[in-house]
Amino acid sequence: MYGTQGARLRRAAAVTLTAGAMLATGAVAAAPAQAVTTPSIAAKGGYVMNDANGASLYTKYADTRRSTGSTTKIMTAKVVLSQPNLNLDAKVTIQKAYSDYVVSKNASQAHLIVGDKVTVRQLLYGLMLPSGCDAAYALADKFGSGTTRAARVKSFIGKMNTTARSLGLRNTHFDSFDGIGNGSNYSTPRDLTKIASSAMKNSTFRTIVKTKKYTAKTITKTGSTRTMGAWTNTNTLLSSYSGAIGVKTGSGPEAKYCLVFAATRNGKTVIGTVLASTSTTQRATDATKLLNYGFARLG
């Protein structure tokens, strides 16, 4: 009995000494980091990570599969940019099928003109800034393989899914090149964040997604130069959030309002996703809260 009591006393003394030592050395100075209030967001799903090491900083239904809208186009761009011997200045002739597609789907578009020759680089800007589904179609047709357009598109979507698997993503599947899915186009906040983080390793991708406005000069059927109307980036964070560097908006009847976002401050990059927010304004508000929280967590 005395032995047990003595052991308890010794343990209590040891704890007191340890606590005193921590106070003396300032080891508890890190405690305020935990005191950062976890934000409340309207989006149904959210995820934020430290881009340097992939450490999670915030999760809200981070692994729940949801429709992704045009955030799908991050993978479209990634697949294009990972093609071997890619020539960004290669020209693609705009087909009537691309124009008919966006009209039939009432989809967001880059207003590409049938018969114009547009470079791959320009198509990537048209894909990521105004979220052009016509640009997405043109890229899928160009970089898929097969003798028919349908076969090439199917092949390209296959590459999107192969890339998702190569990144170890188990909750992501694509059945479209632009997010206008056929019932099985889904991902999660965590997976989309990982796709974006991977895409951001490409310098061309980084340059495109932080661009607020871009004006393409295309070549017409007759060989003259057409100056297109300026494409404006749909990601309002580029103007409203200090240090914002991308990435992509998305929306749709099922997807609601989505945003994959990233910002760099003091040499630290925070990257994340919100899915199924309630409006274009709210998704930016949600992302702002999560970026602020992420940077506060990183200190």
Side-chain angles (χ1 to χ4, degrees):
M1 183 178 162
Y2 287 108
T4 308
Q5 194 172 3
R8 281 188 192 135
L9 286 167
R10 282 196 296 277
R11 274 203 301 275
V15 168
T16 308
L17 279 167
T18 306
M22 283 176 72
L23 285 167
T25 58
V28 290
Q34 270 98 49
V36 180
T37 308
T38 306
S40 170
I41 59 170
K44 288 183 179 171
Y47 180 74
V48 178
M49 75 179 194
N50 176 358
D51 196 47
N53 58 12
S56 298
L57 299 171
Y58 173 93
T59 60
K60 177 182 178 179
Y61 297 110
D63 300 306
T64 300
R65 296 174 178 182
R66 297 188 186 280
S67 176
T68 57
S70 287
T71 60
T72 297
K73 290 168 180 151
I74 298 168
M75 182 61 97
T76 310
K78 180 174 167 57
V79 168
V80 170
L81 288 165
S82 62
Q83 295 303 300
N85 307 312
L86 177 67
N87 177 8
L88 288 167
D89 297 315
K91 291 184 174 62
V92 176
T93 303
I94 301 307
Q95 307 295 316
K96 187 171 182 290
Y98 314 155
S99 180
D100 290 348
Y101 171 78
V102 289
V103 171
S104 71
K105 299 287 186 184
N106 191 27
S108 54
Q109 57 173 305
H111 299 282
L112 299 170
I113 293 164
V114 176
D116 276 13
K117 288 184 172 62
V118 185
T119 67
V120 171
R121 188 191 312 274
Q122 290 168 338
L123 286 172
L124 287 166
Y125 276 95
L127 174 78
M128 299 304 283
L129 272 64
S131 201
C133 295
D134 45 357
Y137 198 163
L139 289 166
D141 193 8
K142 164 79 174 168
F143 291 102
S145 54
T147 52
T148 66
R149 186 172 291 124
R152 290 190 292 274
V153 166
K154 186 178 179 183
S155 154
F156 185 86
I157 295 166
K159 290 181 184 184
M160 293 169 72
N161 285 313
T162 300
T163 305
R165 284 194 297 274
S166 75
L167 291 171
L169 309 180
R170 295 180 182 175
N171 291 307
T172 295
H173 183 266
F174 300 106
D175 69 359
S176 75
F177 48 73
D178 58 1
I180 301 175
N182 301 299
S184 59
N185 202 91
Y186 57 80
S187 189
T188 68
R190 190 191 306 269
D191 280 10
L192 272 172
T193 303
K194 288 180 178 178
I195 293 167
S197 177
S198 173
M200 289 291 266
K201 290 179 172 62
N202 181 284
S203 60
T204 301
F205 184 89
R206 284 199 308 275
T207 298
I208 291 170
V209 298
K210 71 178 180 188
T211 302
K212 294 178 190 175
K213 257 191 172 52
Y214 181 86
T215 302
K217 291 187 188 306
T218 61
I219 307 300
T220 68
K221 284 179 193 170
T222 59
S224 63
T225 302
R226 183 196 310 281
T227 303
M228 297 287 289
W231 291 323
T232 302
N233 201 317
T234 53
N235 180 8
T236 58
L237 285 187
L238 293 173
S239 298
S240 67
Y241 195 85
S242 173
I245 55 171
V247 179
K248 184 75 188 75
T249 60
S251 60
E254 192 185 350
K256 304 303 180 198
Y257 299 90
C258 311
L259 182 56
V260 181
F261 52 87
T264 300
R265 287 182 176 178
N266 301 319
K268 294 172 183 175
T269 299
V270 169
I271 188 164
T273 300
V274 289
L275 293 183
S277 194
T278 53
S279 69
T280 52
T281 309
Q282 189 60 48
R283 73 183 170 198
T285 301
D286 286 347
T288 299
K289 285 181 180 179
L290 294 185
L291 282 167
N292 287 340
Y293 179 71
F295 284 119
R297 286 280 311 271
L298 292 181

